[in-house]
Amino acid sequence: MKQTVLSGIRATGRLHLGNYLGAVKGMLALQEDSTIDTFFMVADVHTITTPYDIDELKLNRREVIIDYLAAGLDPERSTLFLQSMVGEHLELSFLFSSVMSIARMQHLPTFKDKVKQYPDHATMALLNYPLLMASDILLYKANLVPVGIDQEPHIEIARQVARKMNEAYGTDFPEPTRFATKGEYVPSLQGSGKMSKSVAGSFISLTDSEAEILERLKAAPTDDGKGNLQTMPQGVKNILQFVELFSGAEKRAEYEAQYEGAGIRYGDLKKELAASIAAELKPLQAKRAELMVNPKYIDDVIATGATKAQAVASRTLDEVKEKMGLG
Ligand code: ADP
Ligand code: TRP
């Protein structure tokens, strides 16, 4: 069976290490396989489901395209586009809303979390968020979705929508699964929760310099450096996870041995870790600098991507409308 991939990132700010390891690295791995069709979008319409600033959105959606390109996504091999430029996404999501119950949507943990975070913005758009995401995925009949583990409840909704649509209308949507990477859950620098754009102090941006990375790591909580691995505080576990992700499992084992022995010197560890992270980000930052001087190229990528995506999306939408009696 032909494999098709779709993924997206909201246009809420500069990408961080969580986005990179949990989503972008998976996108890059899948783009490598020339037998797979890959679609990567900026979920700019999803951005309006929580409070946002209009000028920032305009800027950020372009920044995400630049981050994609800087990370190595290649418009010759993948379709890179802005969700809002392909109106079919919105249209299909409304059709999908006819097969999902309000109760199912209200009980999603991701919906409840966002309502807690923004109690004055419990909108219909937020409730419909997962249906728009299902539409993003199923318009391209994608069966693989590279995203972090936090998105699993949304992928489950996409599978359910696919099943229900296939049963009710005889469509041929695949049931998509998540494509997991090694960094599917990158912890926050603050000791608890995940690294997130919306939590200041939790993240390292892909554009941070080594000095900025070190500053951010210095603020991460630790302990006196010694003790038992079983009772190690979460903040220290998180730092060791970063060591494993950027300096390798052997380095982590070395620090664990120190923890149970003479003790870890966090000042040294953080310096070494900052250098490893900076080394990984350096090529991305160099590519970003090149891209920034050529705005016309970015415009072209965005325009071409929309045309390519729309050709596929409109075919699927027509099929669905036909089957639903709306053709
Ligand atoms: P954020 O939560 O920072 O606003 P998004 O919700 O826009 O980020 O997520 C974009 C992509 O990055 C999704 O695939 C998501 O699963 C992934 N992602 C976000 N944060 C992390 C994290 N801490 N660890 C792993 N993947 C993450
Ligand atoms: N909900 C995803 C997030 O917050 C972003 C997203 C929107 C997405 N549409 C998608 C991810 C389709 C994968 C596929 O990260």
Side-chain angles (χ1 to χ4, degrees):
M1 195 190 74
K2 178 142 187 54
Q3 306 253 63
T4 304
V5 171
L6 179 128
S7 190
I9 294 186
R10 286 180 306 147
T12 43
R14 287 288 174 82
L15 299 198
H16 55 69
L17 290 181
N19 303 137
Y20 179 59
L21 298 175
V24 179
K25 279 234 164 161
M27 300 180 191
L28 288 166
L30 292 163
Q31 173 183 263
E32 281 308 306
D33 185 337
S34 61
T35 68
I36 304 182
D37 270 346
T38 44
F39 295 86
F40 301 122
M41 54 166 224
V42 180
D44 52 355
V45 181
H46 274 108
T47 308
I48 71 163
T49 60
T50 44
Y52 74 101
D53 179 275
I54 295 173
D55 292 327
E56 273 178 28
L57 171 58
K58 280 190 193 164
L59 201 77
N60 283 336
R61 57 188 198 156
R62 198 179 164 86
E63 291 293 321
V64 177
I65 291 280
I66 298 173
D67 278 329
Y68 278 170
L69 294 168
L73 292 183
D74 174 2
E76 301 293 325
R77 288 184 284 168
S78 296
T79 303
L80 307 180
F81 68 104
L82 301 181
Q83 182 189 32
S84 61
M85 289 175 77
V86 185
E88 283 81 354
H89 289 243
L90 289 161
E91 205 173 333
L92 187 65
S93 74
F94 189 83
L95 301 180
F96 282 174
S97 72
S98 70
V99 296
M100 290 301 276
S101 76
I102 299 169
R104 172 75 173 98
M105 304 305 291
Q106 277 174 329
H107 286 123
L108 270 185
T110 42
F111 175 70
K112 290 186 187 162
D113 288 350
K114 281 281 185 279
V115 171
K116 237 183 248 160
Q117 200 178 349
Y118 306 105
D120 298 333
H121 287 84
T123 61
M124 286 305 299
L126 188 61
L127 189 63
N128 276 312
Y129 184 113
L131 294 182
L132 180 57
M133 181 160 159
S135 165
D136 301 334
I137 298 166
L138 298 177
L139 265 178
Y140 303 90
K141 300 192 179 169
N143 61 319
L144 270 183
V145 185
V147 281
I149 201 162
D150 60 305
Q151 294 298 308
E152 191 59 71
H154 292 156
I155 308 287
E156 176 56 29
I157 291 284
R159 282 194 287 272
Q160 215 172 359
V161 168
R163 271 199 300 277
K164 286 187 182 244
M165 289 297 295
N166 294 348
E167 276 164 23
Y169 300 109
T171 46
D172 64 349
F173 290 121
E175 289 188 27
T177 52
R178 190 170 70 86
F179 179 80
T181 60
K182 228 176 108 199
E184 64 178 12
Y185 181 89
V186 177
S188 159
L189 291 179
Q190 291 174 321
S192 70
K194 73 161 192 127
M195 183 175 284
S196 177
K197 271 177 262 177
S198 50
V199 183
S202 79
F203 60 83
I204 291 173
S205 287
L206 299 189
T207 47
D208 284 345
S209 66
E210 184 167 340
E212 284 165 327
I213 296 170
L214 185 57
E215 276 316 298
R216 294 190 195 262
L217 288 176
K218 276 186 184 161
T222 50
D223 59 1
D224 61 8
K226 274 187 195 189
N228 188 315
L229 290 182
Q230 267 68 46
T231 53
M232 177 184 262
Q234 191 58 41
V236 177
K237 275 193 199 141
N238 292 352
I239 295 210
L240 291 182
Q241 192 182 333
F242 281 107
V243 168
E244 182 169 345
L245 285 167
F246 290 94
S247 313
E250 272 176 33
K251 199 83 208 162
R252 179 186 183 140
E254 263 175 44
Y255 283 122
E256 282 180 349
Q258 287 180 18
Y259 195 77
E260 287 181 309
I264 297 178
R265 293 155 59 111
Y266 289 113
D268 294 345
L269 179 155
K270 287 179 174 180
K271 248 189 233 149
E272 204 171 74
L273 178 57
S276 301
I277 296 175
E280 171 125 10
L281 297 184
K282 212 168 171 190
L284 278 78
Q285 294 176 354
K287 183 90 188 282
R288 185 173 236 286
E290 276 172 32
L291 290 161
M292 293 306 282
V293 298
N294 194 353
K296 169 79 174 56
Y297 173 70
I298 310 294
D299 294 340
D300 287 348
V301 168
I302 292 174
T304 312
T307 308
K308 274 164 64 186
Q310 193 150 34
V312 181
S314 65
R315 227 182 302 136
T316 306
L317 182 64
D318 285 349
E319 258 171 52
V320 176
K321 284 174 77 177
E322 187 63 41
K323 298 214 160 164
M324 290 182 79
L326 298 164

